[in-house]
């Protein structure tokens, strides 16, 4: 368990937290009803939960969140309680099952909303209206409610019912068409960072509206479009949209616009044991300093902005640079380069990140104990808060794990629970 | 329209390039009074352009012309400069530092994204800030964090992408990372969003407890939380994932396919048998009925072949047409939009995503609008992209209560200005 700042028991809105006791966190006291599944929605509610909100995750009875069926799986065993994706995305949430298609289920949902500050949903636009649970309805039972809807293209517009993927988010919202080599197809990021970005944007907007509600007493409805979250800037997109108006030129693969480093000694280079990234160009003399100021590189043509760009000059410089890099390891280069003021970094493989000296000293990865998988190291906090820390209070919930706890907090008796079960509500 | 959520919150930003300025824009959009603290004696390349006086043809300026005040005209700076204020002061001089301290006293939040040792040398420490304002919230953004062996290392988003493991999972399957692959700079905007979340969460904590705090934000750590699948895979199975190119661990086919026209592409992903059925109906060619592709496992086994066939079909169709036809049967597909296409896209238009901003030194252009739409706090452009020193008079006289003669003296001694001092260069 991460160290905690103070020893006050963690208070949920409805009762004392039993499983873990941690200090007061930044969002302690915030109550969230979470209807989201898969990636972008759970990213949003994970940020809220990890910084202290009491997030009650509602899953459909039987199947649960679709992410439970997505890998990677613990020991490569496909199982709804062993999805690494689900386990990572749902830490600190309490899990209940509830059938929203059912009248009794809807009434139970409204009871939860009455005692909540925030509802987050990521259904296909129109679903909440169809269920009779639109913001207009929920606002009536709780006028201070903040509700966040996350969808592929937003709640309005001609594409509102279209499906979304990582590729589409980066291709339509983001600038994928100019990412890659001119002679090849445009290239996506590894895994799904654009969907995480959409979730992070939703978390930002939610916490802003929640803060506004606490100060001004009025809730709000937030419409997050994954496409919009990319257009607003993924990898220089915002700037490129303006530059296009400035010059009439579109960027292309091989000649991207306004993003990334350019010039001699810039980019990804091989070295003795992998690759290193350098930002050279303007500050090339720092690279030569790193290499011990070799006589071969003293010619001013390498540094003069007028001659530096000449392909032959660049080639001559980089041939020397490359031979030097091949005689050093990426970590050596990183340290020597930084000592001479270079902007450079080693390319780490996934296993190497776990062993990185900075990552280890700062305890970035944390052990999370889970009833089915046991202890696993998860990527930890996105940032460090001195007084109101990120903390793992509990692992991701088993399907329906907190039904008894949450429904009894709502005032349902054991007999009520049996009735709910028999009417296929939970 | 009611009050904006962050009305009454004052933020000081001493920030460069992207992560810091980007977070300032959202805080300003949501109603905070954001004051950029800049200096006319110091030019940070990459913030108000790459150069004070750009060479001819330098990219990023209206009509490719840097103009008389290039620092007010650069696309990247202007893309995130609305709704803010800007003042200048030379904090390397004692009286400049005194002015900065007086500003801290009347502010709620301080954002910085200089390398920590630069701030140490300037004398900007948490102790100093707390002495002026005990409950100050400081979002201290850096490449690698405020502690540890890399604390004072220089960073930039492409390098973060490399050290955080993302670069090792990105790339063409048949090429190595040094083969001219594009750099990726998403770590910066990602941090901008995280910083707003962190700051507003800290304000919430301050309102409950009366306490401010230091928020230590490392680009590298924040970006790792955008890419957890391969880390979980290693932690659970010891597997070191490399790159899949554009392929997907679940969907087959999944990738970018060439369409009709010049360099037009559509992305298509088929996640399950139901979507495959829909795909087959639209494509309606013999090969889609081939038993080789009958289920997910056989499609995975024959993925190379399948991709070629998909492209043989997409090549004969318009990229938008492919999206509409496939989406109508529930198959995720979408065109890859270049900048020109974004301005024409019906969804972008219908949502009125782009908003007009006029600034005296730049002119009128369309800018990216609200990244999330808040019904009761819609985006309003209260102020255009802020010019260097534009709000000196307001900040010095109204916020700090400095008299006119004193203001004149500070102007003469070089604290206050709207142009960089003679001799200031990019480096």
């Amino acid at each position: 368990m991460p160290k905690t700042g103070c020893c006050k028991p963690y208070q949920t809105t409805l009762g004392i937290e039993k499983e873990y006791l941690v200090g007061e966190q930044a969002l302690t006291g915030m109550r969230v009803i979470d209807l989201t599944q898969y990636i972008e929605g759970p990213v949003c509610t994970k940020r809220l939960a990890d910084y202290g909100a009491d997030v009650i995750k509602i899953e459909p009875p039987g199947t649960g969140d679709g992410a439970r069926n997505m890998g990677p799986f613990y020991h490569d065993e496909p199982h709804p309680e062993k999805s690494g994706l689900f386990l990572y995305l749902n830490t600190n949430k309490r899990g209940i099952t509830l059938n929203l298609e059912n009248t009794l289920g809807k009434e139970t949902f409204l009871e939860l909303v009455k005692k909540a500050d925030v509802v987050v949903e990521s259904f296909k636009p129109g679903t909440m209206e169809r269920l009779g649970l639109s913001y207009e309805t929920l606002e009536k039972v709780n006028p201070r409610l903040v509700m966040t809807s996350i969808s592929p293209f937003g709640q309005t517009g001609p594409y509102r019912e279209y499906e979304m993927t990582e590729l589409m988010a980066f291709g339509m919202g983001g600038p994928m068409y100019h990412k890659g080599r001119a002679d090849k197809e445009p290239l996506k990021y590894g895994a799904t960072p654009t969907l995480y970005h959409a979730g992070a944007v939703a978390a930002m907007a939610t916490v802003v509206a929640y803060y506004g509600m606490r100060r001004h007493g009025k809730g709000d409805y937030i419409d997050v479009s994954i496409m919009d979250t990319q257009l607003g800037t993924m990898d220089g997109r915002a700037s490129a949209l303006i530059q296009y108006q400035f010059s009439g030129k579109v960027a292309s693969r091989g000649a991207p616009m306004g993003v990334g480093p350019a010039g001699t000694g810039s980019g990804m280079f091989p070295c003795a044991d992998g690759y290193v990234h350098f930002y050279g160009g303007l500050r090339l003399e720092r690279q030569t300093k790193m290499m011990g100021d070799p006589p071969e590189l003293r010619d001013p043509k390498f540094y003069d902005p007028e001659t530096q760009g000449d392909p032959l000059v660049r080639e001559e410089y980089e041939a020397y640079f490359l031979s030097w890099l091949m005689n050093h390891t990426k970590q050596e280069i990183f340290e020597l380069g930084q000592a001479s003021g270079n902007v450079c970094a080693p390319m780490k493989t996934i296993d190497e990140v776990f062993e990185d000296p900075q990552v280890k000293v700062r305890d970035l990865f944390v052990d999370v104990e889970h009833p089915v998988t046991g202890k696993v190291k998860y990527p930890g906090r996105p940032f460090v808060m001195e007084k109101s820390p990120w903390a793992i209070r509990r692992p991701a919930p088993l399907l329906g794990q907190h039904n008894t706890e949450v429904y009894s907090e709502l005032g349902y008796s054991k007999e009520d629970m049996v009735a709910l079960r028999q009417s296929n509500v939970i | 329209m009611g009050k904006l959520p962050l009305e009454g919150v004052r933020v000081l930003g001493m920030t460069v390039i992207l992560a810091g300025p980007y977070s300032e824009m959202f805080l300003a959009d949501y109603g905070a009074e954001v004051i950029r603290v800049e200096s006319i004696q110091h030019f940070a390349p990459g913030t108000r352009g790459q150069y004070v006086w750009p060479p001819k043809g330098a990219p990023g300026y209206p009509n490719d012309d840097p103009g008389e005040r290039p620092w007010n005209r650069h696309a990247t700076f202007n893309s995130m400069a609305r709704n803010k204020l800007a003042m200048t002061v030379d904090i390397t001089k004692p009286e400049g530092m005194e002015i900065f301290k007086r500003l801290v006293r009347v502010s709620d939040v301080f954002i910085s994204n200089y390398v920590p040792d630069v701030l140490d040398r300037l004398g900007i420490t948490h102790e100093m800030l707390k002495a002026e304002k005990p409950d100050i919230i400081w979002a201290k953004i850096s490449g690698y964090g405020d502690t540890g062996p890399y604390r004072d290392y220089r960073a930039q988003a492409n390098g973060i992408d490399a050290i955080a493991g993302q670069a090792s999972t990105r790339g063409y399957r048949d090429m190595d990372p040094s083969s001219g692959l594009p750099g990726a700079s998403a770590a910066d905007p990602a941090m901008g969003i995280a910083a707003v979340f962190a700051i507003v969460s800290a304000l919430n904590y301050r309102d409950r407890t009366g306490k401010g705090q230091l928020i230590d934000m490392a680009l590298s750590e924040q970006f790792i939380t955008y890419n957890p699948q391969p880390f979980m895979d290693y932690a659970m199975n010891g597997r070191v994932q490399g790159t899949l190119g554009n392929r997907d661990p679940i969907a087959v086919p999944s990738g970018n396919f060439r369409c009709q026209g010049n360099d037009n592409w559509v992305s298509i992903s088929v996640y399950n048998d139901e979507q495959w059925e829909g795909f087959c109906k639209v494509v309606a060619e013999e090969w889609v009925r081939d038993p080789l592709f009958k289920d997910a496992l056989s499609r995975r086994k024959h993925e190379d072949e399948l991709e070629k066939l998909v492209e043989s079909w997409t090549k004969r169709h318009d990229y938008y047409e492919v999206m509409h036809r496939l989406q109508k049967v529930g198959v995720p597909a979408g065109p890859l939009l270049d900048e020109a296409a974004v301005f024409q896209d019906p969804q972008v238009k219908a949502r009125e995503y782009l908003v007009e901003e006029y600034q005296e030194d730049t002119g009128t252009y369309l800018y990216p609008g609200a990244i999330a739409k808040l019904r009761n706090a819609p985006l309003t452009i209260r102020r255009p992209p802020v010019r260097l020193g534009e709000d000196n008079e307001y900040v010095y006289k109204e916020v700090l209560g400095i008299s006119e003669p004193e203001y004149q003296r500070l102007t003469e001694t070089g604290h206050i200005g709207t142009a960089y001092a003679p001799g200031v260069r990019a480096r």
Side-chain angles (χ1 to χ4, degrees):
Chain A
M1 282 292 103
K3 289 180 205 92
T4 56
C6 80
C7 51
K8 250 194 286 175
Y10 171 69
Q11 291 278 150
T12 64
T13 316
L14 293 178
I16 302 283
E17 181 54 64
K18 295 177 213 76
E19 292 171 38
Y20 297 99
L21 297 178
V22 304
E24 178 112 350
Q25 291 181 271
L27 301 177
T28 298
M30 179 195 224
R31 187 90 186 288
V32 181
I33 307 300
D34 179 7
L35 292 169
T36 67
Q37 297 190 34
Y38 298 104
I39 295 179
E40 57 281 1
V43 168
C44 166
T45 51
K46 174 182 168 66
R47 290 214 162 185
L48 303 173
D50 286 359
Y51 284 98
D54 178 19
V55 174
I56 297 175
K57 181 180 178 76
I58 295 180
E59 295 182 80
T63 54
D65 181 344
R68 290 180 180 274
N69 301 320
M70 290 164 73
F73 291 99
Y74 180 71
H75 288 178
D76 287 325
E77 295 161 5
H79 183 284
E81 303 298 351
K82 293 185 184 178
S83 158
L85 179 69
F86 178 86
L87 293 176
Y88 171 78
L89 286 175
N90 293 286
T91 51
N92 290 323
K93 302 175 190 177
R94 296 197 286 171
I96 62 171
T97 54
L98 184 59
N99 183 357
L100 294 175
E101 299 285 346
N102 171 307
T103 312
L104 195 51
K106 283 176 198 160
E107 281 167 17
T108 308
F109 177 73
L110 290 176
E111 289 305 308
L112 283 166
V113 170
K114 274 183 199 163
K115 291 181 174 163
D117 303 297
V118 174
V119 169
V120 185
E121 66 92 11
S122 61
F123 293 122
K124 185 171 272 199
T127 304
M128 292 301 274
E129 286 80 358
R130 181 179 63 74
L131 293 169
L133 300 172
S134 67
Y135 182 67
E136 288 64 35
T137 311
L138 303 187
E139 195 185 18
K140 278 184 198 123
V141 302
N142 182 352
R144 290 166 64 95
L145 185 72
V146 171
M147 176 165 159
T148 303
S149 293
I150 308 168
S151 59
F153 295 96
Q155 302 295 311
T156 57
Y159 308 165
R160 66 195 284 261
E161 293 190 0
Y162 282 5
E163 302 282 338
M164 175 62 83
T165 62
E166 170 74 16
L167 274 168
M168 288 172 60
F170 193 40
M172 299 181 76
M176 181 161 58
Y177 79 95
H178 79 61
K179 292 288 167 182
R181 288 172 55 113
D183 57 343
K184 304 267 281 181
E185 70 277 12
L187 187 64
K188 74 186 273 283
Y189 275 83
T192 61
T194 58
L195 299 179
Y196 283 82
H197 191 61
V201 168
M204 170 186 82
T206 303
V207 89
V208 165
Y210 171 74
Y211 186 70
M213 178 275 280
R214 297 203 16 128
R215 300 179 85 213
H216 310 308
K218 195 161 166 39
D220 208 341
Y221 176 72
I222 304 165
D223 172 9
V224 179
S225 144
I226 296 175
M227 183 180 180
D228 290 355
T229 64
Q230 306 305 318
L231 281 170
T233 207
M234 187 73 174
D235 229 343
R237 180 64 137 180
S239 175
L241 286 172
I242 297 167
Q243 288 193 52
Y244 164 71
Q245 298 170 81
F246 283 180
S247 66
K249 290 177 213 140
V250 296
S252 61
R253 289 192 305 296
M257 194 158 58
V259 287
T264 310
S266 293
M268 192 79 89
F269 296 91
C271 64
D273 63 342
Y275 300 91
V276 284
H277 190 275
F278 269 87
Y279 195 109
L282 274 178
R283 290 161 163 154
L284 210 56
E285 70 287 349
R286 298 183 187 185
Q287 265 180 14
T288 31
K289 191 175 162 204
M290 170 187 75
M291 295 185 276
D293 198 14
E296 292 90 330
L297 297 181
R298 288 197 186 140
D299 192 327
K301 72 181 175 187
F302 295 121
Y303 312 96
D304 184 342
E306 296 287 316
T307 48
Q308 196 185 49
D310 184 317
L312 289 175
V313 173
R314 180 172 184 158
E315 201 174 307
E316 188 183 340
Y317 177 90
E318 289 185 356
Y320 188 94
F321 183 47
L322 209 58
S323 67
W324 188 89
L325 294 174
M326 292 309 284
N327 283 315
H328 294 81
T329 67
K330 56 189 172 186
Q331 194 68 21
E332 275 169 15
I333 296 165
F334 186 34
E335 286 164 22
L336 286 168
Q338 289 284 349
S340 329
N342 286 278
V343 179
C344 62
M347 189 185 102
K348 302 239 169 180
T349 52
I350 297 299
D351 53 329
E352 289 169 345
V353 174
F354 283 88
E355 296 307 316
D356 180 89
Q358 181 78 355
V359 163
K360 288 180 103 163
V361 167
R362 284 171 61 85
D363 282 328
L364 179 62
F365 289 86
V366 294
D367 281 322
V368 178
E369 182 84 41
H370 179 271
V372 175
T373 66
K375 206 181 272 183
V376 171
K377 268 201 192 316
Y378 293 21
R381 56 190 159 59
F383 49 84
V384 180
M385 296 187 91
E386 174 203 10
K387 293 220 171 68
S388 55
W390 185 96
I392 296 290
R393 306 186 303 277
R394 59 168 88 242
L398 304 171
L399 185 58
Q401 184 183 345
H402 301 94
N403 277 350
T404 310
E405 184 178 312
V406 170
Y407 289 122
S408 65
E409 285 169 9
L410 271 187
Y412 288 130
S413 67
K414 279 194 169 170
E415 291 76 21
D416 293 338
M417 296 278 293
V418 172
L420 289 175
R421 180 72 197 232
Q422 283 170 352
S423 359
N424 199 23
V425 176
I426 63 173
Chain B
M1 198 178 86
K3 280 190 171 173
L4 290 171
L6 302 184
E7 249 175 80
V9 173
R10 183 176 286 143
V11 177
L12 295 184
M14 196 179 281
T15 65
V16 291
I17 318 204
L18 212 147
Y22 191 53
S23 66
E24 290 165 6
M25 176 177 76
F26 293 111
L27 294 166
D29 284 353
Y30 296 132
E33 181 180 271
V34 175
I35 302 173
R36 279 188 63 76
V37 179
E38 297 179 273
S39 160
I40 56 172
Q41 285 78 23
H42 170 70
F43 181 87
T47 307
R48 287 180 172 274
Q50 284 294 344
Y51 306 89
V52 181
W53 301 107
K56 261 187 199 142
Y61 300 95
N63 308 315
D64 292 331
D65 175 11
E68 284 171 29
R69 288 175 290 273
W71 49 85
N72 292 336
R73 285 165 60 82
H74 195 269
T76 307
F77 181 81
N78 282 2
S79 74
M80 48 196 168
R82 66 178 174 233
N83 289 338
K84 303 178 189 179
L85 288 75
M87 62 87 74
T88 64
V89 60
D90 182 1
I91 59 163
T92 64
K93 289 185 188 147
E95 68 175 358
M97 184 49 93
E98 199 45 49
I99 290 160
F100 172 67
K101 286 178 175 174
R102 286 172 66 180
L103 265 175
V104 172
R105 268 173 241 162
V106 293
S107 298
D108 303 287
V109 176
F110 177 55
I111 312 175
S112 66
N113 68 335
Y114 280 92
V115 184
D117 68 349
V118 171
L119 297 166
D120 294 347
R121 283 200 300 274
L122 287 167
I124 297 176
T125 64
H126 197 201
E127 276 53 50
M128 181 277 257
L129 295 170
K130 279 193 291 188
E132 302 303 326
K133 183 78 162 54
D135 64 353
I136 192 83
I137 292 164
W138 182 9
K140 188 175 188 183
I141 302 169
S142 59
Y144 302 107
D146 201 27
T147 59
Y150 303 169
R151 177 186 186 261
D152 296 327
Y153 280 10
R154 271 70 186 143
Q156 172 268 354
N158 299 56
I160 294 298
D161 179 72
I163 201 167
Q166 166 59 224
S168 77
T169 62
R170 181 169 51 82
Y172 296 107
R173 285 175 299 117
D174 56 351
M175 297 181 104
D176 81 63
S178 66
S179 56
L181 294 182
S185 357
D188 270 344
M191 178 54 94
I193 297 295
V196 177
F197 175 85
I199 287 165
V200 179
S201 299
L203 283 167
N204 183 56
Y205 179 78
R206 190 197 64 175
D207 282 5
R208 295 202 322 274
T209 62
K211 291 177 197 158
Q213 63 184 310
L214 174 70
I215 313 168
D216 170 9
M217 311 194 76
L219 284 166
S220 52
E221 294 175 353
Q222 209 295 133
F223 203 46
I224 283 172
T225 72
Y226 269 38
N227 197 23
Q229 288 98 317
F231 291 104
M232 292 300 286
D233 199 13
Y234 181 74
M236 296 187 306
N237 302 314
R239 182 182 295 113
V240 181
Q241 287 189 15
T243 178
L244 290 173
N246 288 330
R247 287 185 178 176
D248 186 275
I250 302 172
V252 199
S254 186
N256 296 324
F257 301 95
R258 196 178 278 280
C259 290
Q260 250 178 18
N262 177 28
D263 205 33
N264 287 339
W265 300 82
V266 68
S267 71
I268 301 173
S269 304
V270 175
Y271 281 89
N272 51 45
D273 286 342
E274 203 184 324
Q275 292 182 352
W276 177 251
E277 282 305 308
F279 180 79
C280 292
K281 260 184 225 150
V282 171
V283 173
E285 290 191 13
E286 271 169 35
W287 56 267
V288 296
R289 295 294 167 201
D290 193 316
L292 283 183
F293 310 132
K294 68 180 189 316
D295 57 39
L297 281 179
S298 23
R299 289 194 289 275
R300 176 70 75 198
K301 207 170 149 196
H302 303 283
E303 194 164 1
D304 288 338
E305 202 176 336
L306 179 55
E307 285 175 349
K308 284 194 191 95
L309 288 164
V310 171
E311 191 156 289
S312 71
W313 179 77
T314 55
K315 264 180 161 166
R316 289 181 280 116
H317 297 272
D318 173 77
Y319 63 163
Y320 266 95
E321 177 211 326
V322 173
M323 168 175 79
H324 291 304
R325 289 179 62 192
L326 288 177
Q327 288 278 2
K328 293 240 155 74
V329 295
V331 177
L336 275 61
L337 304 181
D338 66 13
E339 288 85 17
V342 167
F343 286 92
Q344 298 307 318
D345 184 80
Q347 182 72 9
V348 175
K349 286 185 178 173
R351 283 177 67 78
E352 297 175 339
Y353 176 75
L354 297 157
V355 295
E356 206 171 84
E357 294 179 26
Y358 165 79
Q359 190 235 52
E360 226 169 284
D361 283 339
T362 313
T364 304
Y365 295 94
L366 290 169
Y367 286 74
I371 200 161
K373 289 187 188 294
L374 277 67
R375 189 177 287 174
N376 297 327
L379 174 66
T380 47
I381 309 299
R382 308 193 302 284
R383 302 168 52 94
V386 74
R387 294 175 293 161
L388 183 67
E390 184 170 355
D391 302 289
N392 278 328
E393 190 142 356
Y394 165 78
V395 173
Y396 277 93
K397 292 182 182 169
E398 289 183 44
V399 177
L400 297 178
I402 280 167
S403 67
E404 179 61 33
E406 181 65 0
Y407 186 81
Q408 286 312 321
R409 198 187 63 75
L410 290 167
T411 307
E412 281 150 26
T413 47
H415 291 282
I416 295 167
T418 54
Y420 286 97
V424 173
R425 288 287 172 267
R427 295 190 255 182

